[in-house]
Amino acid sequence: MATGTLDATNTTWLRNRWTGKYPLAYRVDVGDVFKALADPTRRAILDELQERSGQTLFELCSRLITRHGLSSSRQAVSQHLEVLEDAGLVRTRREGRYKFHDLDTSPLRTITDRWRIAPETDP
C-alpha cells in the first residue's frame, strides 16, 4: 500500500476508531480477561485474592490446597498468576524478597461497561 492511500480495510478500521467502537470491541486485554477467567484454577486464585488481597505465592498455594483441594505445583500456580497479571486482573508488588499479589477488578468493569444491562421495570 502506498503512503497516503486507503483501501476498504483501512477505511473500516478508521471509521470504527472514529465512532468509538474500536476501543471496546477490539481491545486485546478484553480477550485476555475471558481467557484468564476460563480456567477453574485461575478463578479459585481470584476468589482467594478477593477474600484476602496481598498474598504471596506460598500463601496462595497453601490456600488452594486446603480450601479448594487443588494440588497444583508452585510453578503451575505461578504460571496461572502470570496469565492473570497479563489480563490485568492481578497486580504485583515487591517488598524485599517477597512478591505480593493483589486483585484488580478494573478489567471486569470494561466488560460490564460494554454489555451494560438496563434495570428491569415492573409492568
Side-chain angles (χ1 to χ4, degrees):
M1 177 172 81
T3 305
T5 62
L6 293 174
D7 60 10
T9 305
N10 289 336
T11 56
T12 302
W13 179 81
L14 286 172
R15 186 172 48 252
N16 286 338
R17 295 271 307 187
W18 289 334
T19 61
K21 294 178 185 175
Y22 182 84
L24 288 177
Y26 300 102
R27 287 182 54 160
V28 175
D29 58 340
V30 171
D32 292 345
V33 171
F34 287 116
K35 175 186 168 191
L37 294 174
D39 187 270
T41 302
R42 290 193 282 267
R43 289 193 305 266
I45 291 170
L46 292 174
D47 289 341
E48 289 303 320
L49 291 174
Q50 171 69 31
E51 189 170 310
R52 192 171 71 80
S53 200
Q55 295 185 57
T56 64
L57 177 61
F58 176 78
E59 292 171 310
L60 281 168
C61 289
S62 299
R63 290 173 71 103
L64 289 173
I65 291 170
T66 58
R67 303 182 86 208
H68 299 276
L70 298 173
S71 58
S72 298
S73 67
R74 287 171 53 96
Q75 182 179 3
V77 174
S78 179
Q79 290 173 348
H80 284 302
L81 284 166
E82 185 177 327
V83 171
L84 292 168
E85 190 174 355
D86 289 345
L89 292 166
V90 171
R91 299 280 179 229
T92 59
R93 58 187 161 81
R94 285 205 174 269
E95 291 181 18
R97 64 183 198 138
Y98 296 102
K99 185 176 182 181
F100 295 93
H101 302 87
D102 298 295
L103 178 65
D104 183 0
T105 58
S106 59
L108 299 175
R109 279 190 288 276
T110 302
I111 292 169
T112 59
D113 288 346
R114 180 176 178 183
W115 292 295
R116 196 170 295 274
I117 297 173
E120 293 184 22
T121 56
D122 293 330

